Amino acid sequence: MKLNVDLQNHSYPIYIERNTIQKVHEYIPVTRKIAIITDTGVPEKWVNIVKEQCPDSFICTIPQGEPSKCFDQYKNLLEEMISHNMSRKDAIIAVGGGVVGDLAGFVAASYMRGIDFYNIPTTVLSQVDSSVGGKVAIDMGSYKNIVGAFWQPKTVIIDPNVLSTLSLRQQHNGLCEALKMGLILDDHLVSLFEQETIDIDAIITRSIELKRDVVQQDERESNLRKILNFGHTIGHAIESAYGLNTYLHGECVAMGMLFFIEDKTLKQRVLNIYKKLGLPQVPNYDTSTLLEYVTHDKKSSHNTVSTILVEQSGSYIIKELSFKEIQEVLERGPYEE
Amino acid sequence: MKLNVDLQNHSYPIYIERNTIQKVHEYIPVTRKIAIITDTGVPEKWVNIVKEQCPDSFICTIPQGEPSKCFDQYKNLLEEMISHNMSRKDAIIAVGGGVVGDLAGFVAASYMRGIDFYNIPTTVLSQVDSSVGGKVAIDMGSYKNIVGAFWQPKTVIIDPNVLSTLSLRQQHNGLCEALKMGLILDDHLVSLFEQETIDIDAIITRSIELKRDVVQQDERESNLRKILNFGHTIGHAIESAYGLNTYLHGECVAMGMLFFIEDKTLKQRVLNIYKKLGLPQVPNYDTSTLLEYVTHDKKSSHNTVSTILVEQSGSYIIKELSFKEIQEVLERGPYEE
């Protein structure tokens, strides 16, 4: 199926369909130089299918994992673009997960002040969420996404077939962001997680529709788009403090959401889904360590943090919490009311 | 006087007036954290006048000169922003010439995916041209402006008083870009250079009006805005090959324009103005060296270069020249017809 993201000057289509990766040449103008950016975790098979459809292309492979979303890789890739004499009319295709998409997107956003960018997400997380929306960035030290741009892709190609090479843990990790979208916006999406067999195609499509609607209403995250940060404030802090080599991003977001689900019955529903997905428990943490990360987080300004709370599945409340209130939430813990 | 740049989502005012530097606090919301980025060539006096009006501000000073428009300085400045805990609601003010404006502007464009940027140009070149238009960038190796963004300032404050501390050579260097604007768009502006005393305030105002009109019609340089590159194709090549420590940017642009003024009488008028401004002669050059730079220039794609020619003062012709034709132009030389 084809969804359109309608934005003033840079609308674009999203194709969600099994086997679309074979049709890249139908959806992307490939008669120009194309840099395919991917990482070592993406099976070569997918990358080669894309490459074969782009006659004048080259592949740049970065190491898998969040540490690649750094200044050095950013600079290396820009140097690659120069050494291949890429012009303003050429294009970058990202084939990978969120790290590849964010990094390749920022290279596309800034090389020659911006060239065409296409995204072929290959993880659940990027298929249900990060490939749509135009947020591209790199990290500096422990500051996630601190440098970047809003740079919309020209086209997003989502092929659920490519998920077949992922481990179950990776797949479930990605589903956490879809669940997040359901909790704040659409109880029907939450209920898709409660069915006996999880229909991943249905979850991807519904998530992307919801994400698309939010992005259309608020491209540059001036307001509404902040709701997508549900679970991320404390989630990012857990990821930064305890996540390295231990937890995946979606797992941390899942942990972060628990702190701000304000209804007992709903929390139990969510915990049942977590169990089904085999998500890890929130680790023992040091409140002041997490608080330190929260207060340094980029969404915080002055002494409050704009926080998303959920009382009823499919709806949200935005509340400015003081650092003191965040501290109380942390002291209370994720499993208490 | 106040000019407005009307752009879809990010219109902004330009104030052109003597003593406006004293009124920064009237034109910029200063009740937030402000990073003032400047260079060692800007007299402290101007920087301090700005700082005194911003109660919660800090100064970042980069070394004067084009080499500062590099990746290392870019990264350093981003780290400064982080270490000062700059949030999305804070702002950057550039106080300096084009190098400072381009570098500070790119930091503002990319820090947290974009924060408010204000520009207080302190050189003729930046006052007549580069401070308006939103082109921000850094260089990589010999590739000028290869990485950057289109990021419009929130306000530009032009105070001709600050030019008093510049050498005559620096002032005349800057006037070259204004003359360029006249040659392609407005013979009246060219004639301002032929008066007995040069009225710099009038030249700045007219140049900025013209630049504003072009930017309004073509924000992202898809077409019309390319005309502002008049003189730059060969000018950049001369600057890269022979300019280091020898010629200033405007001087190189002036040299570059000569190659593409197609009328004998007009060329003589222009040479008279160059004499009046004391501009240097085009150096002896090696055609293949310059050609190499031209073909690597970012505006070139495939085997032609989009070139601006002027036959009649105040008007332009756009022509795709093959590399071979550029070579012939270089072999003919700047002073021949």
Side-chain angles (χ1 to χ4, degrees), chain B residues 256-271:
Chain B
M257 293 196 288
L258 287 176
F259 290 86
F260 298 113
I261 294 173
E262 304 279 288
D263 177 76
K264 191 180 168 179
T265 319
L266 180 59
K267 195 177 273 189
Q268 198 46 59
R269 268 180 82 191
V270 171
L271 286 171

Side-chain angles (χ1 to χ4, degrees), chain A residues 198-262:
Chain A
I198 285 185
D199 179 348
I200 205 160
D201 295 36
I203 289 177
I204 292 171
T205 304
R206 189 67 194 125
S207 300
I208 289 290
E209 276 172 353
L210 293 167
K211 176 83 184 259
R212 188 263 316 255
D213 293 347
V214 170
V215 171
Q216 276 180 183
Q217 286 173 69
D218 180 20
E219 187 185 347
R220 296 191 71 89
E221 201 167 52
S222 45
N223 205 355
L224 176 63
R225 200 163 162 177
K226 283 185 186 160
I227 63 171
L228 301 178
N229 292 324
F230 177 49
H232 281 65
T233 305
I234 290 181
H236 270 168
I238 294 175
E239 196 173 0
S240 303
Y242 305 107
L244 195 68
N245 301 321
T246 313
Y247 304 120
L248 302 173
H249 174 73
E251 292 169 350
C252 293
V253 171
M255 296 178 195
M257 293 194 290
L258 287 177
F259 290 86
F260 299 113
I261 295 173
E262 305 279 288

